[in-house]
Amino acid sequence: MRYLIGLIVFIFIYFIIYQKYLKGKRKIDKLKLTVMYIYLMLVAFVTILPIDFALDPKWKYHSSINFVYIHIKPFNGLIHGYSGALKEVILNIIMTMPFGFLYADIKNDVSIDQIMIKTFLLSFTIESIQLIMTIFLLHYRSCDITDLITNVIGGVIGFILYKLWKPHLNKWYEKFEK
């Protein structure tokens, strides 16, 4: 139920996008853009939603809760052996691999530098939204430089996978268009 409103909004936005931008496109382009949209919405569900309004805003200022808004030391959790730090690094890499793959496929002739910039901007946007939402008591996530780094690594890995799979994709796309 917590995700239902977000899901309804994302579906509504998709149909607006479809009517405005996808209507006259080739089937394969519609498919690529739809998959990218679904991917980005899933990322939003994992990283931003649901929005939980804190009933007691004093929880952040309570002396027994050690909360940090921004983590600026890269890989600090790994260095200090925090529980779950390695898992978080791996999941952040995996999360943006599809972005690097899909973005390269949609744009067709894109460089690794462009993938790094676009993935950084995606990650920076997510981290900024998380920070803003936390400051305004909408949820309790922090902004982490490690996430930015690992997200860019994931985008680059996705781009490399795209380059390896491109010949196979082109054959599949030709069959799909028939």
Side-chain angles (χ1 to χ4, degrees):
M1 185 67 177
R2 294 169 57 190
Y3 291 98
L4 186 59
I5 294 171
L7 180 62
I8 291 169
V9 169
F10 290 142
I11 290 171
F12 180 73
I13 291 170
Y14 175 77
F15 283 109
I16 291 171
I17 291 171
Y18 182 83
Q19 290 300 319
K20 251 189 162 160
Y21 302 106
L22 299 180
K23 206 168 191 174
K25 296 207 181 272
R26 297 178 323 160
K27 286 190 319 185
I28 195 64
D29 294 331
K30 287 180 187 178
L31 177 65
K32 289 177 185 182
L33 292 168
T34 299
V35 170
M36 177 63 101
Y37 180 79
I38 291 169
Y39 161 75
L40 290 173
M41 293 310 103
L42 289 172
V43 168
F45 270 89
V46 169
T47 59
I48 298 168
L49 297 176
I51 299 171
D52 291 325
F53 295 93
L55 297 177
D56 181 11
K58 296 177 191 160
W59 69 267
K60 282 194 204 173
Y61 309 107
H62 194 274
S63 61
S64 66
I65 298 173
N66 185 14
F67 188 80
V68 178
Y69 288 105
I70 302 174
H71 299 277
I72 57 173
K73 291 182 182 176
F75 301 100
N76 193 42
L78 281 176
I79 293 168
H80 289 93
Y82 294 150
S83 174
L86 180 60
K87 178 182 169 186
E88 188 175 322
V89 165
I90 292 168
L91 290 175
N92 273 302
I93 290 171
I94 291 170
M95 180 181 75
T96 51
M97 285 170 59
F99 180 79
F101 188 97
L102 293 169
Y103 188 81
D105 194 29
I106 290 168
K107 291 297 183 181
N108 219 2
D109 189 26
V110 65
S111 70
I112 197 163
D113 294 340
Q114 291 170 313
I115 290 292
M116 291 172 73
I117 291 167
K118 297 296 182 181
T119 309
F120 174 82
L121 291 173
L122 171 69
S123 182
F124 184 78
T125 301
I126 291 167
E127 295 299 318
S128 297
I129 291 170
Q130 288 177 343
L131 177 63
I132 290 166
M133 291 175 76
T134 300
I135 289 171
F136 290 102
L137 304 173
L138 299 176
H139 66 64
Y140 47 91
R141 296 186 185 209
S142 58
C143 183
D144 195 334
I145 191 72
T146 304
D147 293 353
L148 288 170
I149 295 167
T150 54
N151 288 159
V152 171
I153 291 169
V156 169
I157 292 170
F159 174 76
I160 292 167
L161 291 173
Y162 168 75
K163 289 294 189 182
L164 294 172
W165 278 90
K166 187 176 180 178
H168 304 291
L169 286 173
N170 289 337
K171 290 177 187 174
W172 186 82
Y173 292 157
E174 288 173 12
K175 290 179 184 176
F176 183 81
E177 283 293 326
K178 292 180 183 180

